[in-house]
Amino acid sequence: MYFILLMCIVLLGCSNTSRGDAQPDHIQKEDGGPVIATKQIGEYMLRFAIQKSDDHTFTFQSGLKYVGNDAGHVILHSKHVFAVDIQVKGKTILPPWTTTSEGLTTNLTNEEWYTEQVEITLTQAQIQKLTESEATIVLNAYFQSEQSGFIDEKRMMLNASQVLLENKE
């Protein structure tokens, strides 16, 4: 009995939450338009649109939609549902960010996307880090619902150099 419990703990502790699990299901690239990536996680669809505004400025629009069987679904979240990060070798190259821990609720439907947009301007040093090694754009969604807790991983990761350095208006 204890052996089975121990094996379950070991297997859960060693579960694969690497980049492979967070890859988008679909990526769409159009000339002059944004790169749009989508990933279904349970009864939710994540969408991430990335548009290059100028040499160093990028617009990130994150979206969340309920895709389950019900007409809608209520989530509990803080001021921002999404956190965008750019990482080189697993470490962020962006300054720290904060959010409030307000208990806001949003009703998600099958018809509409809940979206948040952020614009990030990278320094020349940050751009240089992107060109020198493998970098990753990470989108995390933080919310709680009947099907998902705050600590459940809701993440999508993209190759930053392919998206940021090749995405031109």
Side-chain angles (χ1 to χ4, degrees), residues 22 24 26-29 34-39 45-51 58-64 82-86 94 113-118 120 136-140 155-160 163-164 167:
H26 180 74
I27 298 176
Q28 174 184 344
K29 294 181 183 182
V35 173
I36 301 172
T38 56
K39 178 170 186 59
M45 181 71 70
L46 285 177
R47 180 178 67 188
F48 200 24
I50 304 163
Q51 177 74 46
F58 302 88
T59 301
F60 298 89
Q61 186 180 61
S62 309
L64 178 67
F82 302 104
V84 176
D85 194 12
I86 302 173
L94 299 177
W113 287 92
Y114 170 83
T115 61
E116 293 177 3
Q117 184 170 305
V118 63
I120 297 175
T136 306
I137 304 170
V138 182
L139 172 66
N140 285 298
R155 168 183 293 195
M156 187 171 13
M157 300 171 78
L158 296 107
N159 182 309
V163 175
L164 299 182
N167 181 17

mmCIF file of all heavy atoms in Angstrom, residues 22 24 26-29 34-39 45-51 58-64 82-86 94 113-118 120 136-140 155-160 163-164 167:
data_model
loop_
_atom_site.group_PDB
_atom_site.id
_atom_site.type_symbol
_atom_site.label_atom_id
_atom_site.label_comp_id
_atom_site.label_asym_id
_atom_site.label_seq_id
_atom_site.Cartn_x
_atom_site.Cartn_y
_atom_site.Cartn_z
ATOM 1 N N ALA A 22 3.931 22.638 -23.336
ATOM 2 C CA ALA A 22 3.378 23.986 -23.464
ATOM 3 C C ALA A 22 3.424 24.512 -24.898
ATOM 4 O O ALA A 22 3.142 25.672 -25.138
ATOM 5 C CB ALA A 22 4.139 24.934 -22.531
ATOM 6 N N PRO A 24 2.269 25.368 -28.613
ATOM 7 C CA PRO A 24 0.952 25.670 -29.180
ATOM 8 C C PRO A 24 0.440 24.510 -30.027
ATOM 9 O O PRO A 24 1.220 23.747 -30.600
ATOM 10 C CB PRO A 24 1.212 26.892 -30.063
ATOM 11 C CG PRO A 24 2.551 27.395 -29.691
ATOM 12 C CD PRO A 24 3.307 26.275 -29.074
ATOM 13 N N HIS A 26 -1.492 25.217 -32.605
ATOM 14 C CA HIS A 26 -1.538 25.799 -33.947
ATOM 15 C C HIS A 26 -0.840 27.162 -33.936
ATOM 16 O O HIS A 26 -1.029 27.945 -33.010
ATOM 17 C CB HIS A 26 -2.996 25.970 -34.388
ATOM 18 C CG HIS A 26 -3.149 26.556 -35.750
ATOM 19 N ND1 HIS A 26 -2.888 25.849 -36.898
ATOM 20 C CD2 HIS A 26 -3.531 27.789 -36.150
ATOM 21 C CE1 HIS A 26 -3.108 26.623 -37.941
ATOM 22 N NE2 HIS A 26 -3.498 27.807 -37.513
ATOM 23 N N ILE A 27 -0.032 27.437 -34.962
ATOM 24 C CA ILE A 27 0.607 28.749 -35.132
ATOM 25 C C ILE A 27 0.294 29.235 -36.531
ATOM 26 O O ILE A 27 0.469 28.506 -37.511
ATOM 27 C CB ILE A 27 2.136 28.693 -34.936
ATOM 28 C CG1 ILE A 27 2.481 28.241 -33.523
ATOM 29 C CG2 ILE A 27 2.761 30.062 -35.220
ATOM 30 C CD1 ILE A 27 3.971 28.076 -33.272
ATOM 31 N N GLN A 28 -0.170 30.479 -36.615
ATOM 32 C CA GLN A 28 -0.506 31.085 -37.906
ATOM 33 C C GLN A 28 0.354 32.333 -38.086
ATOM 34 O O GLN A 28 0.395 33.204 -37.227
ATOM 35 C CB GLN A 28 -1.989 31.459 -37.907
ATOM 36 C CG GLN A 28 -2.445 32.215 -39.111
ATOM 37 C CD GLN A 28 -3.908 32.622 -38.974
ATOM 38 O OE1 GLN A 28 -4.653 32.121 -38.143
ATOM 39 N NE2 GLN A 28 -4.314 33.566 -39.793
ATOM 40 N N LYS A 29 1.061 32.394 -39.225
ATOM 41 C CA LYS A 29 1.884 33.558 -39.547
ATOM 42 C C LYS A 29 1.415 34.107 -40.882
ATOM 43 O O LYS A 29 1.295 33.378 -41.850
ATOM 44 C CB LYS A 29 3.355 33.171 -39.675
ATOM 45 C CG LYS A 29 3.999 32.706 -38.407
ATOM 46 C CD LYS A 29 5.469 32.383 -38.648
ATOM 47 C CE LYS A 29 6.127 31.853 -37.399
ATOM 48 N NZ LYS A 29 7.544 31.576 -37.598
ATOM 49 N N PRO A 34 0.078 39.752 -37.373
ATOM 50 C CA PRO A 34 0.639 39.148 -36.163
ATOM 51 C C PRO A 34 0.873 37.649 -36.320
ATOM 52 O O PRO A 34 0.298 36.999 -37.187
ATOM 53 C CB PRO A 34 -0.450 39.408 -35.114
ATOM 54 C CG PRO A 34 -1.713 39.467 -35.910
ATOM 55 C CD PRO A 34 -1.332 40.093 -37.229
ATOM 56 N N VAL A 35 1.728 37.128 -35.468
ATOM 57 C CA VAL A 35 1.855 35.686 -35.300
ATOM 58 C C VAL A 35 0.787 35.319 -34.277
ATOM 59 O O VAL A 35 0.705 35.919 -33.209
ATOM 60 C CB VAL A 35 3.250 35.297 -34.776
ATOM 61 C CG1 VAL A 35 3.308 33.823 -34.437
ATOM 62 C CG2 VAL A 35 4.313 35.674 -35.783
ATOM 63 N N ILE A 36 -0.056 34.330 -34.608
ATOM 64 C CA ILE A 36 -1.144 33.937 -33.708
ATOM 65 C C ILE A 36 -0.973 32.464 -33.354
ATOM 66 O O ILE A 36 -0.943 31.607 -34.237
ATOM 67 C CB ILE A 36 -2.522 34.177 -34.339
ATOM 68 C CG1 ILE A 36 -2.688 35.659 -34.689
ATOM 69 C CG2 ILE A 36 -3.635 33.720 -33.398
ATOM 70 C CD1 ILE A 36 -3.934 35.973 -35.491
ATOM 71 N N ALA A 37 -0.847 32.192 -32.057
ATOM 72 C CA ALA A 37 -0.705 30.822 -31.568
ATOM 73 C C ALA A 37 -1.902 30.493 -30.685
ATOM 74 O O ALA A 37 -2.387 31.347 -29.934
ATOM 75 C CB ALA A 37 0.589 30.687 -30.768
ATOM 76 N N THR A 38 -2.380 29.258 -30.783
ATOM 77 C CA THR A 38 -3.495 28.812 -29.946
ATOM 78 C C THR A 38 -3.159 27.460 -29.326
ATOM 79 O O THR A 38 -2.406 26.670 -29.883
ATOM 80 C CB THR A 38 -4.807 28.686 -30.752
ATOM 81 O OG1 THR A 38 -4.598 27.808 -31.845
ATOM 82 C CG2 THR A 38 -5.282 30.043 -31.245
ATOM 83 N N LYS A 39 -3.748 27.236 -28.148
ATOM 84 C CA LYS A 39 -3.555 25.971 -27.444
ATOM 85 C C LYS A 39 -4.781 25.711 -26.582
ATOM 86 O O LYS A 39 -5.217 26.586 -25.848
ATOM 87 C CB LYS A 39 -2.320 26.026 -26.554
ATOM 88 C CG LYS A 39 -2.105 24.741 -25.760
ATOM 89 C CD LYS A 39 -0.771 24.721 -25.087
ATOM 90 C CE LYS A 39 -0.480 23.405 -24.414
ATOM 91 N NZ LYS A 39 -0.491 22.249 -25.286
ATOM 92 N N MET A 45 -9.423 27.650 -24.230
ATOM 93 C CA MET A 45 -8.528 27.878 -25.360
ATOM 94 C C MET A 45 -7.719 29.134 -25.052
ATOM 95 O O MET A 45 -8.289 30.185 -24.730
ATOM 96 C CB MET A 45 -9.332 28.072 -26.647
ATOM 97 C CG MET A 45 -8.481 28.285 -27.880
ATOM 98 S SD MET A 45 -7.597 26.814 -28.412
ATOM 99 C CE MET A 45 -8.944 25.812 -29.019
ATOM 100 N N LEU A 46 -6.391 29.008 -25.138
ATOM 101 C CA LEU A 46 -5.492 30.156 -25.012
ATOM 102 C C LEU A 46 -5.144 30.645 -26.410
ATOM 103 O O LEU A 46 -4.909 29.834 -27.315
ATOM 104 C CB LEU A 46 -4.190 29.770 -24.311
ATOM 105 C CG LEU A 46 -4.206 29.542 -22.817
ATOM 106 C CD1 LEU A 46 -2.823 29.093 -22.348
ATOM 107 C CD2 LEU A 46 -4.627 30.778 -22.077
ATOM 108 N N ARG A 47 -5.095 31.958 -26.589
ATOM 109 C CA ARG A 47 -4.661 32.543 -27.853
ATOM 110 C C ARG A 47 -3.621 33.612 -27.535
ATOM 111 O O ARG A 47 -3.768 34.383 -26.591
ATOM 112 C CB ARG A 47 -5.842 33.175 -28.594
ATOM 113 C CG ARG A 47 -5.437 33.794 -29.928
ATOM 114 C CD ARG A 47 -6.632 34.360 -30.655
ATOM 115 N NE ARG A 47 -7.139 35.508 -29.906
ATOM 116 C CZ ARG A 47 -8.276 36.124 -30.199
ATOM 117 N NH1 ARG A 47 -9.041 35.695 -31.164
ATOM 118 N NH2 ARG A 47 -8.665 37.160 -29.491
ATOM 119 N N PHE A 48 -2.581 33.667 -28.359
ATOM 120 C CA PHE A 48 -1.480 34.596 -28.143
ATOM 121 C C PHE A 48 -1.136 35.214 -29.490
ATOM 122 O O PHE A 48 -0.685 34.515 -30.394
ATOM 123 C CB PHE A 48 -0.295 33.814 -27.577
ATOM 124 C CG PHE A 48 0.745 34.617 -26.854
ATOM 125 C CD1 PHE A 48 0.463 35.832 -26.276
ATOM 126 C CD2 PHE A 48 2.029 34.124 -26.737
ATOM 127 C CE1 PHE A 48 1.428 36.546 -25.600
ATOM 128 C CE2 PHE A 48 3.016 34.821 -26.065
ATOM 129 C CZ PHE A 48 2.703 36.034 -25.484
ATOM 130 N N ALA A 49 -1.387 36.511 -29.650
ATOM 131 C CA ALA A 49 -1.070 37.222 -30.892
ATOM 132 C C ALA A 49 0.089 38.170 -30.615
ATOM 133 O O ALA A 49 0.062 38.937 -29.651
ATOM 134 C CB ALA A 49 -2.285 37.992 -31.393
ATOM 135 N N ILE A 50 1.105 38.110 -31.469
ATOM 136 C CA ILE A 50 2.314 38.918 -31.281
ATOM 137 C C ILE A 50 2.558 39.709 -32.552
ATOM 138 O O ILE A 50 2.660 39.149 -33.641
ATOM 139 C CB ILE A 50 3.526 38.023 -30.969
ATOM 140 C CG1 ILE A 50 3.233 37.161 -29.744
ATOM 141 C CG2 ILE A 50 4.788 38.868 -30.772
ATOM 142 C CD1 ILE A 50 4.167 35.984 -29.578
ATOM 143 N N GLN A 51 2.645 41.036 -32.400
ATOM 144 C CA GLN A 51 2.840 41.932 -33.550
ATOM 145 C C GLN A 51 4.044 42.825 -33.272
ATOM 146 O O GLN A 51 4.138 43.432 -32.198
ATOM 147 C CB GLN A 51 1.602 42.793 -33.773
ATOM 148 C CG GLN A 51 1.723 43.802 -34.886
ATOM 149 C CD GLN A 51 1.660 43.153 -36.261
ATOM 150 O OE1 GLN A 51 0.805 42.319 -36.505
ATOM 151 N NE2 GLN A 51 2.553 43.531 -37.144
ATOM 152 N N PHE A 58 7.027 45.442 -29.272
ATOM 153 C CA PHE A 58 6.138 44.349 -29.652
ATOM 154 C C PHE A 58 4.832 44.473 -28.883
ATOM 155 O O PHE A 58 4.827 44.820 -27.703
ATOM 156 C CB PHE A 58 6.786 43.001 -29.338
ATOM 157 C CG PHE A 58 8.108 42.818 -30.021
ATOM 158 C CD1 PHE A 58 9.281 43.256 -29.424
ATOM 159 C CD2 PHE A 58 8.172 42.233 -31.267
ATOM 160 C CE1 PHE A 58 10.502 43.103 -30.054
ATOM 161 C CE2 PHE A 58 9.391 42.078 -31.913
ATOM 162 C CZ PHE A 58 10.559 42.515 -31.305
ATOM 163 N N THR A 59 3.733 44.172 -29.550
ATOM 164 C CA THR A 59 2.425 44.134 -28.908
ATOM 165 C C THR A 59 2.035 42.671 -28.725
ATOM 166 O O THR A 59 2.053 41.898 -29.676
ATOM 167 C CB THR A 59 1.369 44.862 -29.758
ATOM 168 O OG1 THR A 59 1.787 46.215 -29.946
ATOM 169 C CG2 THR A 59 0.013 44.843 -29.079
ATOM 170 N N PHE A 60 1.700 42.331 -27.493
ATOM 171 C CA PHE A 60 1.282 40.977 -27.143
ATOM 172 C C PHE A 60 -0.183 41.037 -26.734
ATOM 173 O O PHE A 60 -0.532 41.724 -25.779
ATOM 174 C CB PHE A 60 2.105 40.437 -25.966
ATOM 175 C CG PHE A 60 3.575 40.333 -26.254
ATOM 176 C CD1 PHE A 60 4.423 41.396 -26.002
ATOM 177 C CD2 PHE A 60 4.107 39.164 -26.775
ATOM 178 C CE1 PHE A 60 5.776 41.308 -26.252
ATOM 179 C CE2 PHE A 60 5.470 39.057 -27.034
ATOM 180 C CZ PHE A 60 6.303 40.130 -26.781
ATOM 181 N N GLN A 61 -1.053 40.330 -27.458
ATOM 182 C CA GLN A 61 -2.456 40.254 -27.074
ATOM 183 C C GLN A 61 -2.762 38.814 -26.680
ATOM 184 O O GLN A 61 -2.656 37.899 -27.497
ATOM 185 C CB GLN A 61 -3.388 40.698 -28.190
ATOM 186 C CG GLN A 61 -4.834 40.738 -27.709
ATOM 187 C CD GLN A 61 -5.795 41.166 -28.788
ATOM 188 O OE1 GLN A 61 -5.906 40.516 -29.806
ATOM 189 N NE2 GLN A 61 -6.474 42.271 -28.534
ATOM 190 N N SER A 62 -3.113 38.642 -25.418
ATOM 191 C CA SER A 62 -3.421 37.321 -24.872
ATOM 192 C C SER A 62 -4.928 37.163 -24.806
ATOM 193 O O SER A 62 -5.644 38.112 -24.491
ATOM 194 C CB SER A 62 -2.840 37.195 -23.465
ATOM 195 O OG SER A 62 -1.473 37.555 -23.471
ATOM 196 N N GLY A 63 -5.412 35.952 -25.094
ATOM 197 C CA GLY A 63 -6.842 35.712 -25.073
ATOM 198 C C GLY A 63 -7.190 34.382 -24.429
ATOM 199 O O GLY A 63 -6.401 33.433 -24.451
ATOM 200 N N LEU A 64 -8.378 34.334 -23.864
ATOM 201 C CA LEU A 64 -8.883 33.129 -23.208
ATOM 202 C C LEU A 64 -10.352 32.971 -23.572
ATOM 203 O O LEU A 64 -11.113 33.943 -23.542
ATOM 204 C CB LEU A 64 -8.733 33.262 -21.685
ATOM 205 C CG LEU A 64 -9.238 32.119 -20.819
ATOM 206 C CD1 LEU A 64 -8.393 30.862 -21.031
ATOM 207 C CD2 LEU A 64 -9.206 32.525 -19.344
ATOM 208 N N PHE A 82 -3.310 37.273 -17.436
ATOM 209 C CA PHE A 82 -2.142 36.795 -18.179
ATOM 210 C C PHE A 82 -0.850 37.447 -17.711
ATOM 211 O O PHE A 82 -0.825 38.596 -17.306
ATOM 212 C CB PHE A 82 -2.306 37.099 -19.671
ATOM 213 C CG PHE A 82 -3.528 36.485 -20.263
ATOM 214 C CD1 PHE A 82 -4.646 37.254 -20.534
ATOM 215 C CD2 PHE A 82 -3.568 35.128 -20.547
ATOM 216 C CE1 PHE A 82 -5.780 36.685 -21.080
ATOM 217 C CE2 PHE A 82 -4.694 34.553 -21.096
ATOM 218 C CZ PHE A 82 -5.808 35.333 -21.360
ATOM 219 N N ALA A 83 0.223 36.669 -17.837
ATOM 220 C CA ALA A 83 1.578 37.179 -17.615
ATOM 221 C C ALA A 83 2.408 36.765 -18.822
ATOM 222 O O ALA A 83 2.448 35.592 -19.188
ATOM 223 C CB ALA A 83 2.175 36.599 -16.343
ATOM 224 N N VAL A 84 3.035 37.749 -19.464
ATOM 225 C CA VAL A 84 3.904 37.504 -20.608
ATOM 226 C C VAL A 84 5.339 37.623 -20.131
ATOM 227 O O VAL A 84 5.698 38.565 -19.422
ATOM 228 C CB VAL A 84 3.631 38.533 -21.736
ATOM 229 C CG1 VAL A 84 4.599 38.337 -22.890
ATOM 230 C CG2 VAL A 84 2.191 38.450 -22.212
ATOM 231 N N ASP A 85 6.170 36.665 -20.536
ATOM 232 C CA ASP A 85 7.578 36.704 -20.155
ATOM 233 C C ASP A 85 8.422 36.316 -21.367
ATOM 234 O O ASP A 85 7.978 35.572 -22.232
ATOM 235 C CB ASP A 85 7.843 35.723 -19.007
ATOM 236 C CG ASP A 85 9.192 35.951 -18.335
ATOM 237 O OD1 ASP A 85 9.830 37.005 -18.589
ATOM 238 O OD2 ASP A 85 9.619 35.081 -17.558
ATOM 239 N N ILE A 86 9.627 36.839 -21.414
ATOM 240 C CA ILE A 86 10.604 36.448 -22.425
ATOM 241 C C ILE A 86 11.806 35.925 -21.662
ATOM 242 O O ILE A 86 12.373 36.630 -20.817
ATOM 243 C CB ILE A 86 10.983 37.629 -23.345
ATOM 244 C CG1 ILE A 86 9.737 38.190 -24.030
ATOM 245 C CG2 ILE A 86 12.025 37.182 -24.374
ATOM 246 C CD1 ILE A 86 9.966 39.455 -24.819
ATOM 247 N N LEU A 94 13.075 40.319 -18.729
ATOM 248 C CA LEU A 94 12.203 41.464 -18.482
ATOM 249 C C LEU A 94 12.273 41.866 -17.012
ATOM 250 O O LEU A 94 12.572 41.034 -16.151
ATOM 251 C CB LEU A 94 10.756 41.120 -18.846
ATOM 252 C CG LEU A 94 10.501 40.740 -20.302
ATOM 253 C CD1 LEU A 94 9.041 40.356 -20.494
ATOM 254 C CD2 LEU A 94 10.884 41.877 -21.230
ATOM 255 N N TRP A 113 -13.823 36.074 -26.910
ATOM 256 C CA TRP A 113 -12.516 35.959 -26.271
ATOM 257 C C TRP A 113 -12.414 37.013 -25.174
ATOM 258 O O TRP A 113 -12.769 38.174 -25.382
ATOM 259 C CB TRP A 113 -11.399 36.204 -27.271
ATOM 260 C CG TRP A 113 -11.198 35.092 -28.240
ATOM 261 C CD1 TRP A 113 -11.766 34.959 -29.474
ATOM 262 C CD2 TRP A 113 -10.366 33.952 -28.068
ATOM 263 N NE1 TRP A 113 -11.335 33.814 -30.075
ATOM 264 C CE2 TRP A 113 -10.473 33.171 -29.235
ATOM 265 C CE3 TRP A 113 -9.538 33.504 -27.039
ATOM 266 C CZ2 TRP A 113 -9.791 31.971 -29.401
ATOM 267 C CZ3 TRP A 113 -8.851 32.320 -27.206
ATOM 268 C CH2 TRP A 113 -8.980 31.562 -28.372
ATOM 269 N N TYR A 114 -11.891 36.641 -24.011
ATOM 270 C CA TYR A 114 -11.462 37.602 -22.998
ATOM 271 C C TYR A 114 -10.015 37.928 -23.360
ATOM 272 O O TYR A 114 -9.192 37.027 -23.512
ATOM 273 C CB TYR A 114 -11.536 36.990 -21.593
ATOM 274 C CG TYR A 114 -10.880 37.875 -20.555
ATOM 275 C CD1 TYR A 114 -11.579 38.931 -19.998
ATOM 276 C CD2 TYR A 114 -9.561 37.677 -20.177
ATOM 277 C CE1 TYR A 114 -10.974 39.764 -19.066
ATOM 278 C CE2 TYR A 114 -8.946 38.498 -19.252
ATOM 279 C CZ TYR A 114 -9.660 39.542 -18.701
ATOM 280 O OH TYR A 114 -9.052 40.375 -17.798
ATOM 281 N N THR A 115 -9.693 39.221 -23.542
ATOM 282 C CA THR A 115 -8.344 39.579 -23.990
ATOM 283 C C THR A 115 -7.708 40.623 -23.086
ATOM 284 O O THR A 115 -8.389 41.431 -22.454
ATOM 285 C CB THR A 115 -8.343 40.114 -25.438
ATOM 286 O OG1 THR A 115 -9.146 41.297 -25.497
ATOM 287 C CG2 THR A 115 -8.869 39.082 -26.412
ATOM 288 N N GLU A 116 -6.398 40.587 -23.072
ATOM 289 C CA GLU A 116 -5.568 41.616 -22.439
ATOM 290 C C GLU A 116 -4.414 41.899 -23.388
ATOM 291 O O GLU A 116 -3.929 40.987 -24.060
ATOM 292 C CB GLU A 116 -5.007 41.130 -21.098
ATOM 293 C CG GLU A 116 -6.042 40.916 -20.029
ATOM 294 C CD GLU A 116 -5.463 40.367 -18.733
ATOM 295 O OE1 GLU A 116 -4.226 40.183 -18.620
ATOM 296 O OE2 GLU A 116 -6.259 40.100 -17.829
ATOM 297 N N GLN A 117 -4.017 43.159 -23.446
ATOM 298 C CA GLN A 117 -2.939 43.541 -24.359
ATOM 299 C C GLN A 117 -1.842 44.259 -23.584
ATOM 300 O O GLN A 117 -2.119 45.062 -22.696
ATOM 301 C CB GLN A 117 -3.499 44.456 -25.448
ATOM 302 C CG GLN A 117 -2.485 44.841 -26.493
ATOM 303 C CD GLN A 117 -3.139 45.543 -27.666
ATOM 304 O OE1 GLN A 117 -4.046 45.014 -28.269
ATOM 305 N NE2 GLN A 117 -2.666 46.734 -27.969
ATOM 306 N N VAL A 118 -0.603 43.955 -23.947
ATOM 307 C CA VAL A 118 0.541 44.622 -23.333
ATOM 308 C C VAL A 118 1.553 44.918 -24.435
ATOM 309 O O VAL A 118 1.718 44.139 -25.368
ATOM 310 C CB VAL A 118 1.161 43.772 -22.192
ATOM 311 C CG1 VAL A 118 1.709 42.470 -22.709
ATOM 312 C CG2 VAL A 118 2.228 44.533 -21.453
ATOM 313 N N ILE A 120 5.547 45.757 -25.118
ATOM 314 C CA ILE A 120 6.857 45.641 -24.484
ATOM 315 C C ILE A 120 7.914 46.177 -25.436
ATOM 316 O O ILE A 120 7.964 45.777 -26.600
ATOM 317 C CB ILE A 120 7.167 44.173 -24.119
ATOM 318 C CG1 ILE A 120 6.160 43.667 -23.090
ATOM 319 C CG2 ILE A 120 8.595 44.031 -23.597
ATOM 320 C CD1 ILE A 120 6.294 42.193 -22.747
ATOM 321 N N THR A 136 12.718 32.073 -25.310
ATOM 322 C CA THR A 136 11.354 31.577 -25.299
ATOM 323 C C THR A 136 10.410 32.679 -24.839
ATOM 324 O O THR A 136 10.716 33.388 -23.887
ATOM 325 C CB THR A 136 11.230 30.376 -24.337
ATOM 326 O OG1 THR A 136 12.204 29.395 -24.692
ATOM 327 C CG2 THR A 136 9.860 29.756 -24.385
ATOM 328 N N ILE A 137 9.267 32.790 -25.516
ATOM 329 C CA ILE A 137 8.183 33.665 -25.051
ATOM 330 C C ILE A 137 7.233 32.763 -24.281
ATOM 331 O O ILE A 137 6.811 31.719 -24.781
ATOM 332 C CB ILE A 137 7.433 34.322 -26.215
ATOM 333 C CG1 ILE A 137 8.383 35.095 -27.099
ATOM 334 C CG2 ILE A 137 6.325 35.226 -25.685
ATOM 335 C CD1 ILE A 137 7.759 35.566 -28.394
ATOM 336 N N VAL A 138 6.883 33.177 -23.071
ATOM 337 C CA VAL A 138 6.024 32.367 -22.213
ATOM 338 C C VAL A 138 4.758 33.153 -21.900
ATOM 339 O O VAL A 138 4.819 34.298 -21.470
ATOM 340 C CB VAL A 138 6.738 32.007 -20.887
ATOM 341 C CG1 VAL A 138 5.848 31.131 -20.019
ATOM 342 C CG2 VAL A 138 8.074 31.335 -21.158
ATOM 343 N N LEU A 139 3.613 32.523 -22.148
ATOM 344 C CA LEU A 139 2.320 33.079 -21.761
ATOM 345 C C LEU A 139 1.751 32.193 -20.669
ATOM 346 O O LEU A 139 1.563 30.987 -20.869
ATOM 347 C CB LEU A 139 1.348 33.113 -22.948
ATOM 348 C CG LEU A 139 -0.095 33.501 -22.597
ATOM 349 C CD1 LEU A 139 -0.155 34.949 -22.125
ATOM 350 C CD2 LEU A 139 -1.019 33.281 -23.776
ATOM 351 N N ASN A 140 1.512 32.781 -19.495
ATOM 352 C CA ASN A 140 0.867 32.074 -18.394
ATOM 353 C C ASN A 140 -0.493 32.700 -18.147
ATOM 354 O O ASN A 140 -0.624 33.931 -18.175
ATOM 355 C CB ASN A 140 1.693 32.180 -17.099
ATOM 356 C CG ASN A 140 2.904 31.291 -17.125
ATOM 357 O OD1 ASN A 140 2.798 30.085 -17.217
ATOM 358 N ND2 ASN A 140 4.076 31.905 -17.064
ATOM 359 N N ARG A 155 -0.254 27.277 -19.683
ATOM 360 C CA ARG A 155 0.928 27.925 -20.248
ATOM 361 C C ARG A 155 1.081 27.588 -21.719
ATOM 362 O O ARG A 155 0.741 26.507 -22.167
ATOM 363 C CB ARG A 155 2.140 27.428 -19.474
ATOM 364 C CG ARG A 155 3.480 27.753 -20.076
ATOM 365 C CD ARG A 155 4.583 27.158 -19.285
ATOM 366 N NE ARG A 155 4.608 27.833 -18.001
ATOM 367 C CZ ARG A 155 5.599 27.789 -17.153
ATOM 368 N NH1 ARG A 155 6.651 27.054 -17.412
ATOM 369 N NH2 ARG A 155 5.564 28.441 -16.038
ATOM 370 N N MET A 156 1.624 28.568 -22.456
ATOM 371 C CA MET A 156 2.004 28.339 -23.848
ATOM 372 C C MET A 156 3.379 28.968 -24.038
ATOM 373 O O MET A 156 3.646 30.063 -23.550
ATOM 374 C CB MET A 156 0.980 28.985 -24.793
ATOM 375 C CG MET A 156 1.220 28.638 -26.233
ATOM 376 S SD MET A 156 -0.057 29.125 -27.436
ATOM 377 C CE MET A 156 -1.143 30.240 -26.627
ATOM 378 N N MET A 157 4.258 28.250 -24.768
ATOM 379 C CA MET A 157 5.614 28.729 -24.990
ATOM 380 C C MET A 157 5.938 28.703 -26.476
ATOM 381 O O MET A 157 5.593 27.747 -27.170
ATOM 382 C CB MET A 157 6.606 27.867 -24.216
ATOM 383 C CG MET A 157 6.368 27.884 -22.714
ATOM 384 S SD MET A 157 7.362 26.694 -21.799
ATOM 385 C CE MET A 157 8.925 27.540 -21.765
ATOM 386 N N LEU A 158 6.600 29.776 -26.949
ATOM 387 C CA LEU A 158 6.994 29.871 -28.353
ATOM 388 C C LEU A 158 8.468 30.214 -28.452
ATOM 389 O O LEU A 158 9.030 30.851 -27.569
ATOM 390 C CB LEU A 158 6.201 30.977 -29.053
ATOM 391 C CG LEU A 158 4.711 30.768 -29.156
ATOM 392 C CD1 LEU A 158 3.988 31.690 -28.213
ATOM 393 C CD2 LEU A 158 4.284 31.049 -30.557
ATOM 394 N N ASN A 159 9.084 29.841 -29.567
ATOM 395 C CA ASN A 159 10.468 30.187 -29.832
ATOM 396 C C ASN A 159 10.533 31.690 -30.108
ATOM 397 O O ASN A 159 10.002 32.176 -31.096
ATOM 398 C CB ASN A 159 10.977 29.389 -31.030
ATOM 399 C CG ASN A 159 12.422 29.669 -31.318
ATOM 400 O OD1 ASN A 159 12.852 30.812 -31.433
ATOM 401 N ND2 ASN A 159 13.194 28.611 -31.466
ATOM 402 N N ALA A 160 11.199 32.441 -29.245
ATOM 403 C CA ALA A 160 11.213 33.901 -29.341
ATOM 404 C C ALA A 160 11.938 34.406 -30.575
ATOM 405 O O ALA A 160 11.492 35.362 -31.217
ATOM 406 C CB ALA A 160 11.845 34.507 -28.085
ATOM 407 N N VAL A 163 9.708 34.253 -33.645
ATOM 408 C CA VAL A 163 8.560 35.154 -33.607
ATOM 409 C C VAL A 163 8.989 36.620 -33.565
ATOM 410 O O VAL A 163 8.518 37.435 -34.347
ATOM 411 C CB VAL A 163 7.651 34.839 -32.395
ATOM 412 C CG1 VAL A 163 6.536 35.846 -32.275
ATOM 413 C CG2 VAL A 163 7.091 33.429 -32.520
ATOM 414 N N LEU A 164 9.890 36.966 -32.649
ATOM 415 C CA LEU A 164 10.245 38.378 -32.453
ATOM 416 C C LEU A 164 11.215 38.907 -33.493
ATOM 417 O O LEU A 164 11.122 40.071 -33.884
ATOM 418 C CB LEU A 164 10.834 38.583 -31.052
ATOM 419 C CG LEU A 164 9.921 38.244 -29.886
ATOM 420 C CD1 LEU A 164 10.626 38.534 -28.578
ATOM 421 C CD2 LEU A 164 8.612 39.008 -29.964
ATOM 422 N N ASN A 167 9.282 38.557 -37.246
ATOM 423 C CA ASN A 167 7.941 39.121 -37.406
ATOM 424 C C ASN A 167 8.051 40.591 -37.758
ATOM 425 O O ASN A 167 8.364 41.413 -36.923
ATOM 426 C CB ASN A 167 7.142 38.924 -36.116
ATOM 427 C CG ASN A 167 5.738 39.456 -36.219
ATOM 428 O OD1 ASN A 167 5.221 39.692 -37.304
ATOM 429 N ND2 ASN A 167 5.106 39.645 -35.071
#
